[in-house]
Amino acid sequence: MKHLLFCIAVLLGPASLSACAQAPQPGQAAASASKPSPSPAAIKGNTPDERARQALMTLNPKIEIDYIGAAALPGFREAIVGGQVVLVSDDGKYLVQGSVLDIGAQKELTQSSPALSKYRQGLLKSIKTSERIVFAPPNAKYTVSVFTDIECGYCRKLHSEIAEYNRRGIAIEYLAFPRMGLGSPDHKSMISVWCASDRKQALTDAKNGKPVPDRQCKSTPVDMEYHVGQRLGISGTPAIFAEDGTQLGGYLPADKMREALDKLAGDTQTGKPAGMP
């Protein structure tokens, strides 16, 4: 919820929504709140999509909008900004951010959005397997993409249990997300890991607190993976995604991850919304 509130503050301010994960700078939220709301007359457009786009750009002219289309909530369009779904009323007057539950269908309408799943799948598929660090068992039943940082405690905990994930039929494919940002010591260390001749051993050493020998290489996917993570709206690590684009959350023990993946597969086969009874 705190992350969503930060997104609202950034949306109203001068920065791009790609910075949602960062807390607003001192005075930023207050300055944003003091801005007058746009008058309904300022929202123009011949279609609901155009009015939704205009409404969002009225709030922030620099906003990057990845998708606008019909929403499951009648009278609203859905837009993907900063890896998150927001709903804008067809007349452009109202914005809804956060979970919206269809009580009758017992379905969450934002995180379960097919457009969001498709968007996430496209971003994840843009990163080749050869650019990831893969720990996989033979004949894995499931594969998850894990955006990781070499310093965070839960990232290290997850990696210390890698054999158990593999034993339960789960392949872990790591992508780099130096959470302190590009140019940080973390970022430089992750470049050294991805440039190592044995990436798996280098990553394991780094997560065990061993020094990583400085390395540079002609091409490393670290920056690209970080930017993909930002476009997915990642606010912390580890960030775990199933193959269909569903975000499973942060750290999960091996048994809980297998349980979540089994349930997700079952819901997909039966047509149920993921996570609903």
Side-chain angles (χ1 to χ4, degrees):
M1 178 60 70
K2 190 180 293 183
H3 172 58
L4 293 175
L5 293 175
F6 288 162
C7 283
I8 288 288
V10 175
L11 176 60
L12 295 173
S16 163
L17 262 183
S18 64
C20 281
Q22 300 174 1
Q25 298 301 309
Q28 180 179 337
S32 299
S34 66
K35 291 185 177 182
S37 300
S39 73
I43 307 302
K44 300 177 181 179
N46 296 322
T47 67
D49 283 8
E50 290 176 4
R51 287 190 288 274
R53 184 177 297 277
Q54 180 63 33
L56 291 169
M57 294 187 71
T58 299
L59 293 172
N60 181 354
K62 296 182 180 179
I63 192 171
E64 295 183 10
I65 304 169
D66 292 298
Y67 169 83
I68 292 180
L73 184 66
F76 283 80
R77 312 308 283 175
E78 68 178 18
I80 298 176
V81 286
Q84 305 292 326
V85 172
V86 297
L87 303 179
V88 182
S89 60
D90 287 348
D91 58 10
K93 291 182 181 180
Y94 304 102
L95 180 146
V96 177
Q97 187 169 21
S99 295
V100 177
L101 182 68
D102 181 331
I103 297 174
Q106 295 191 27
K107 179 180 180 180
E108 201 282 324
L109 300 181
T110 54
Q111 289 304 306
S112 64
S113 160
L116 180 60
S117 294
K118 186 176 180 181
Y119 171 75
R120 287 173 170 173
Q121 286 180 52
L123 285 175
L124 291 170
K125 286 178 181 177
S126 72
I127 304 173
K128 300 174 184 176
T129 302
S130 62
E131 295 171 334
R132 305 170 180 227
I133 299 180
V134 178
F135 291 80
N139 304 314
K141 182 172 178 61
Y142 300 113
T143 298
V144 295
S145 298
V146 180
F147 285 84
T148 192
D149 176 278
I150 61 177
E151 294 292 338
C152 83
Y154 278 108
C155 296
R156 292 186 170 190
K157 181 172 176 58
L158 187 153
H159 192 68
S160 72
E161 299 166 3
I162 202 79
E164 185 61 21
Y165 292 103
N166 287 175
R167 191 181 73 79
R168 290 178 180 266
I170 303 169
I172 304 289
E173 297 192 353
Y174 283 121
L175 301 94
F177 192 82
R179 57 198 175 126
M180 298 308 292
L182 303 183
S184 65
D186 235 10
H187 174 229
K188 293 174 182 176
S189 294
M190 295 188 87
I191 288 175
S192 294
V193 167
W194 257 258
C195 287
S197 57
D198 186 343
R199 290 178 175 178
K200 292 171 69 173
Q201 187 58 54
L203 183 64
T204 298
D205 288 345
K207 286 180 179 286
N208 286 332
K210 296 181 181 178
V212 181
D214 288 334
R215 296 183 182 91
Q216 294 289 330
C217 48
K218 224 178 231 186
S219 177
T220 170
V222 171
D223 290 21
M224 183 264 286
E225 291 175 3
Y226 175 77
H227 287 305
V228 167
Q230 285 191 313
R231 290 185 64 194
L232 285 166
I234 291 174
S235 59
T237 52
I240 306 169
F241 292 85
E243 291 180 274
D244 70 345
T246 298
Q247 186 167 4
L248 299 176
Y251 167 78
L252 286 173
D255 58 339
K256 296 297 183 184
M257 188 183 293
R258 177 60 194 252
E259 183 180 317
L261 290 166
D262 283 341
K263 180 159 185 19
L264 188 61
D267 288 345
T268 301
Q269 290 168 9
T270 60
K272 283 187 179 179
M276 300 304 293

